[in-house]
Amino acid sequence: MKPIIVTDPPRADLADVDALAELGVATVHEALGRTCYLGPDLRAVQQGARVGGTAVTVLCWPGDNLMIHAAVEQCGPGDLVVVTTTSPCRDGLFGELFATALAHRGVRGLVTTTGVRDVGDLRSMGFPAWSGAVSAQGTVKATAGAVNVPIVVGGQVVRPGDAVVADDDGVVCVPRERVGEALEAGRARVAKEEATRRAFLDGELGLDRYGLRAKLAELGVEYVKAPR
């Protein structure tokens, strides 16, 4: 890995990112063919937060948060910081002081495969974070990594400037070139789900609406009356 800090990468349009956030993680993920999800290991440290932002990516060494300090300078309004490490790490690389510095620059939240600390403070100040762990384990500032380079989180590539949406269901990262596609597909899915919701409220069964009776028959499922 070459130690590098890339400045001013292209970013997805923030208005479109905000529109994606309104759709929510599950809808965006499903609308794009069940892709772009960063995996179940990233858990929200608060409830009810839903944010969208443009990715500022950070690659750190395990137990070392030097490059998060370097990344703060590269952040601006509407960004969302995404952190991972060169090998697995659950140490608490991020806490309230980082959140204070990022909030001052208009950053909307944090996604990290590592641990976070000062969770009570993060909740009190309203700074949303999604992490792989909660850990009080301290860190050092000793080894160079990279900022604003492509990184891999949950098997998905996250590039600087991509659209990141996070809520109680987890995190998705939509390549900036696909944001328009995601919006169109997501809105269509919302409309379809609303029609299904109305049908369910009217008493229709999923078995009938989704044509699943034929699937049950194809799989050899039999209906047998219980003995009296």
Side-chain angles (χ1 to χ4, degrees):
M1 177 189 65
K2 179 181 179 181
I4 189 172
I5 298 173
V6 178
T7 64
D8 197 26
R11 288 166 163 84
D13 181 80
L14 200 53
D16 289 340
V17 176
D18 289 341
L20 274 183
E22 291 179 9
L23 297 175
V25 168
T27 294
V28 173
H29 163 65
E30 293 276 5
L32 289 176
R34 301 189 187 122
T35 62
C36 300
Y37 177 49
L38 301 192
D41 291 337
L42 297 175
R43 307 297 296 273
V45 302
Q46 67 290 303
Q47 291 185 330
R50 175 178 288 183
V51 299
T54 47
V56 171
T57 61
V58 188
L59 183 61
C60 295
W61 283 72
D64 191 316
N65 65 4
L66 172 63
M67 299 313 292
I68 303 179
H69 284 279
V72 173
E73 184 180 26
Q74 304 306 317
C75 292
D79 283 338
L80 197 152
V81 175
V82 184
V83 180
T84 192
T85 48
T86 56
S87 61
C89 173
R90 292 292 186 265
D91 296 346
L93 267 65
F94 185 95
E96 176 267 332
L97 289 177
F98 268 138
T100 298
L102 291 175
H104 176 73
R105 301 181 75 86
V107 173
R108 294 179 170 182
L110 168 86
V111 173
T112 180
T113 60
T114 73
V116 297
R117 56 199 286 179
D118 307 328
V119 169
D121 293 325
L122 296 179
R123 290 171 179 159
S124 295
M125 65 188 294
F127 189 88
W130 288 257
S131 69
V134 172
S135 174
Q137 177 63 49
T139 59
V140 299
K141 301 162 183 62
T143 310
V147 175
N148 279 334
V149 299
I151 60 176
V152 177
V153 177
Q156 302 292 320
V157 175
V158 181
R159 302 173 307 161
D162 283 347
V164 179
V165 175
D167 60 22
D168 286 337
D169 291 331
V171 185
V172 291
C173 176
V174 179
R176 60 180 180 272
E177 299 88 349
R178 298 189 66 190
V179 169
E181 172 193 351
L183 276 174
E184 182 178 357
R187 287 165 174 161
R189 183 174 180 84
V190 167
K192 181 179 179 181
E193 288 183 345
E194 178 55 32
T196 299
R197 186 175 297 107
R198 289 196 300 269
F200 285 172
L201 288 171
D202 288 339
E204 186 175 359
L205 295 174
L207 284 174
D208 298 314
R209 186 164 187 84
Y210 300 136
L212 297 178
R213 295 191 187 279
K215 174 60 70 174
L216 291 176
E218 177 186 331
L219 295 172
V221 177
E222 299 181 9
Y223 286 81
V224 178
K225 186 176 290 291
R228 299 297 183 187

